[in-house]
Amino acid sequence: MTEMPIVCNLDAIPADKRERHHTLAAGIFAAVTAAEVLEDGYAFRLPFSMWADLGEWAALERLCCPFLTFEFKLLHDGAVRLALSGPPGTKELLRAEMG
């Protein structure tokens, strides 16, 4: 099986949606209450109030970063767990993008 290349293409997001994508990402990552390092990426804990924004953001993000795997989990305490993972090199790319 061939690995999907780790390439982000922001032009894959329609021009009229790019500002919204940026705004969603900024809000989501500002709301992270905890982060966990995974073998192949990261997991983030967020308040349930971010659920709708997460879905909208992921739909746009997957256009520019098709190598990412998105996992959403509603936790028993009402929080949301977002895990982002992918092929080798994904964790390093995510770390560089998120600081």
Side-chain angles (χ1 to χ4, degrees), residues 18-32 46-47 50 53-54 57 60-61 97-98:
R18 289 183 196 145
E19 185 175 337
R20 177 67 178 154
H21 174 256
H22 177 75
T23 300
L24 287 165
I28 288 166
F29 290 103
V32 168
L46 295 131
M50 299 305 296
D53 285 352
L54 283 166
W57 170 79
L60 294 168
E61 183 71 13
E97 288 294 314
M98 292 184 242

Side-chain angles (χ1 to χ4, degrees), residues 46-83:
L46 295 131
F48 179 77
S49 61
M50 299 305 296
W51 182 253
D53 285 352
L54 283 166
E56 185 180 354
W57 170 79
L60 294 168
E61 183 71 13
R62 66 180 290 278
L63 296 174
C64 66
C65 299
F67 61 89
L68 282 176
T69 296
F70 300 81
E71 262 184 86
F72 299 94
K73 189 181 285 188
L74 296 176
L75 303 175
H76 70 282
D77 62 1
V80 177
R81 182 179 188 267
L82 165 65

